[in-house]
Amino acid sequence: MLKRYFVNNKKRNFSTASIWIKGGSDMDSTGKKGINKILCSLLTRGCEGFNNFTLSEYIESYGAELNQEIFEDGISISIKSLNEHFSKLFPLLDLMINKPILSETEFKKVKKSSINYIKKEKENPFNICFEKWRKIVYSNHPYAFNTIGNANDVSKITYKDVLLEFKNLKNREKYLISNNPAINAENFGTLEKKIPREKSGRVNHNLSNMDRFDYINNDSNQTIIMVGDQTCSRRSSEYLPLKVLESYLSYGMSAALFKLFREKYGITYDLGVYYPIRNGNAPFLIYLSVSNKQALFAFELLSTLWKNLLFSPLTDAEIFLAKEKLKGSFLLGNQSLDEILQRKIQLISYGISPISEIDLNSKIDEISSLDILKLTYKYFSKPFLSISGNEKICLEISNRWKKNF
């Protein structure tokens, strides 16, 4: 069943329509990691009345855009065009999800492309380090795996497997959203306001410090450190306090990480926080890269910062600035229609009415330093550490990890 929603987002000369299919790489079965990524690509490579080439030519003839992307929790397919052409292009979305060609020739191309992309990702030590980190954090949970799968599984996926997966996809919940009223949909303004109340339980709290540690040896002059844990769902009331923490740590040049590692000591190449929206328990991790010479010092600085987060509440000035930066980031996210529609339909699929986000500022203002302190202790008292670097350095960090965590 396709649920339709219309967003009355001021008059524009173009229209966007996006379909969100609930269930993305989290629907990949054991031994077939990456199959939904392949299926996602195939859906946009031909449908009833169009093969791959004629579909591309038809869309491009109107100057339109077609995009598809797979996430851990869903598949997104969107089309954008000028208003005068929208009625000719909008029906394509229905054909793509209900009557795709799923050509075997295109399947072979997409499968090969997936394998090549997986190989390319392995060339980046950041990707390898993150793969290690989420594997020890999530174990066999779907979030432990890359949305594109792994080379071993993808190489074994057959055309028949993809056809069977499409039968599964046909039964998944689907949501359509657009700023064009011609889609004959429910107006967002009429949706019932829902305030998320869900709370997440602490997970993995019985693991030893070495079960929460992994490293990979590389011969470069760079050491990559990632530390964090899984936290809560986007539905949780704990989501916003953790966003304030993310803002405090990583938003702009006033961020705690920037001031410590870049401004004060000037030792990092790259650093930040990764805290995406998830239907399940989202990862929250700090990542940084330094030269091998500065790696041990950087780890000590990070350990001290981590302990301060656990035992010392943010000051009034720190939490005020973090809240203001967070509000600003939400305003920036409302400048692009594509981002607005994507976020709203994703939240709807999670069971959250986006209408409740009107009150975001007041909810952010209600968050206290004590709220954040409680959550840092709940989720980060026993974090997970992944390192990519020189083996001697990794083993020394491992020894310090045993003592401190």
Side-chain angles (χ1 to χ4, degrees):
M1 180 180 176
L2 181 65
K3 300 176 182 177
R4 298 171 178 243
Y5 300 95
F6 163 65
V7 174
N8 189 11
N9 189 275
K10 62 187 174 182
K11 186 68 175 176
R12 300 175 188 257
N13 67 345
F14 65 90
S15 296
T16 296
S18 179
I19 283 183
W20 178 272
I21 303 171
K22 192 170 185 178
S25 63
D26 60 342
M27 301 298 289
D28 292 349
S29 55
T30 303
K32 292 184 175 60
K33 300 300 179 183
I35 191 169
N36 275 280
K37 167 59 180 173
I38 293 175
L39 179 57
C40 174
S41 297
L42 279 179
L43 292 176
T44 58
R45 287 177 172 245
C47 56
E48 185 179 80
F50 301 90
N51 63 29
N52 184 36
F53 296 108
T54 56
L55 179 62
S56 296
E57 288 175 354
Y58 183 76
I59 292 171
E60 289 176 5
S61 70
Y62 290 105
E65 292 181 14
L66 174 66
N67 295 294
Q68 53 82 14
E69 187 174 358
I70 186 166
F71 299 84
E72 283 80 357
D73 306 314
I75 292 173
S76 173
I77 301 175
S78 63
I79 197 160
K80 179 164 67 173
S81 75
L82 293 174
N83 290 336
E84 58 262 35
H85 304 317
F86 186 71
S87 62
K88 302 180 184 69
L89 295 158
F90 173 64
L92 292 176
L93 285 179
D94 179 68
L95 292 175
M96 287 175 199
I97 62 169
N98 291 311
K99 297 179 181 180
I101 292 176
L102 302 180
S103 158
E104 186 170 7
T105 300
E106 292 302 318
F107 160 74
K108 292 175 182 177
K109 293 178 184 177
V110 171
K111 178 178 174 178
K112 184 178 180 180
S113 177
S114 286
I115 292 173
N116 289 339
Y117 190 80
I118 291 168
K119 290 178 180 177
K120 184 179 178 181
E121 282 222 319
K122 287 186 176 180
E123 296 173 2
N124 187 331
F126 256 96
N127 293 335
I128 298 171
C129 191
F130 180 59
E131 293 299 320
K132 285 276 186 183
W133 182 85
R134 64 177 171 189
K135 187 62 181 173
I136 56 174
V137 172
Y138 287 103
S139 186
N140 291 317
H141 187 277
Y143 289 176
F145 304 94
N146 197 319
T147 56
I148 63 173
N150 60 72
N152 184 51
D153 282 11
V154 172
S155 65
K156 296 176 182 177
I157 293 172
T158 66
Y159 179 58
K160 184 179 178 182
D161 291 332
V162 173
L163 296 181
L164 289 173
E165 191 64 29
F166 177 65
K167 289 183 178 179
N168 174 297
L169 180 139
K170 283 169 37 174
N171 295 322
R172 298 179 202 170
E173 293 180 23
K174 301 175 183 70
Y175 305 83
L176 170 69
I177 191 168
S178 178
N179 67 314
N180 193 305
I183 66 168
N184 189 26
E186 182 176 4
N187 193 314
F188 261 95
T190 65
L191 288 181
E192 180 185 356
K193 181 175 177 179
K194 298 176 184 176
I195 300 176
R197 298 292 185 186
E198 176 181 301
K199 288 198 175 183
S200 302
R202 182 70 177 88
V203 290
N204 293 332
H205 57 283
N206 290 323
L207 295 178
S208 68
N209 52 12
M210 294 315 293
D211 287 329
R212 293 181 281 109
F213 172 84
D214 202 356
Y215 78 94
I216 184 164
N217 181 31
N218 75 53
D219 297 324
S220 71
N221 190 42
Q222 179 180 221
T223 300
I224 299 166
I225 301 173
M226 295 185 177
V227 62
D229 201 349
Q230 55 176 294
T231 57
C232 63
S233 161
R234 176 60 183 84
R235 290 185 301 276
S236 173
S237 58
E238 298 168 342
Y239 166 77
L240 276 180
L242 288 173
K243 286 297 289 184
V244 174
L245 177 62
E246 178 192 22
S247 172
Y248 163 73
L249 289 170
S250 65
Y251 285 15
M253 295 176 69
S254 61
L257 289 174
F258 184 90
K259 289 199 295 183
L260 178 62
F261 288 95
R262 285 268 181 86
E263 193 175 86
K264 188 172 183 179
Y265 293 105
I267 61 173
T268 53
Y269 301 128
D270 194 12
L271 79 164
V273 170
Y274 179 63
Y275 181 44
I277 291 175
R278 290 285 183 271
N279 190 36
N281 291 343
F284 188 110
L285 79 146
I286 293 175
Y287 61 87
L288 58 88
S289 63
V290 296
S291 67
N292 290 344
K293 184 179 178 181
Q294 299 287 354
L296 296 178
F297 179 52
F299 179 72
E300 290 301 327
L301 286 177
L302 184 58
S303 298
T304 301
L305 173 67
W306 200 265
K307 290 176 181 177
N308 285 338
L309 292 176
L310 290 175
F311 302 111
S312 301
L314 303 185
T315 65
D316 290 344
E318 288 171 337
I319 195 169
F320 174 79
L321 181 58
K323 289 177 180 180
E324 292 305 302
K325 288 190 293 183
L326 181 59
K327 293 174 188 176
S329 74
F330 285 138
L331 288 175
L332 285 173
N334 283 331
Q335 291 184 355
S336 164
L337 178 62
D338 291 350
E339 286 185 38
I340 293 170
L341 297 183
Q342 173 71 33
R343 183 173 61 252
K344 287 182 182 296
I345 203 65
Q346 190 172 357
L347 293 182
I348 282 286
S349 77
Y350 293 169
I352 304 168
S353 174
I355 199 75
S356 66
E357 292 204 328
I358 293 173
D359 301 323
L360 266 181
N361 283 357
S362 61
K363 292 177 186 176
I364 291 171
D365 288 335
E366 293 171 2
I367 296 168
S368 69
S369 295
L370 184 60
D371 294 330
I372 296 173
L373 190 65
K374 288 177 180 177
L375 292 181
T376 55
Y377 187 79
K378 174 180 178 179
Y379 289 118
F380 307 135
S381 56
K382 291 188 176 181
F384 290 72
L385 175 67
S386 176
I387 311 171
S388 172
N390 176 277
E391 186 170 21
K392 184 178 178 181
I393 293 173
C394 291
L395 292 176
E396 177 56 31
I397 290 178
S398 171
N399 291 331
R400 300 186 186 194
W401 171 257
K402 291 178 188 176
K403 295 176 183 176
N404 295 328
F405 292 93

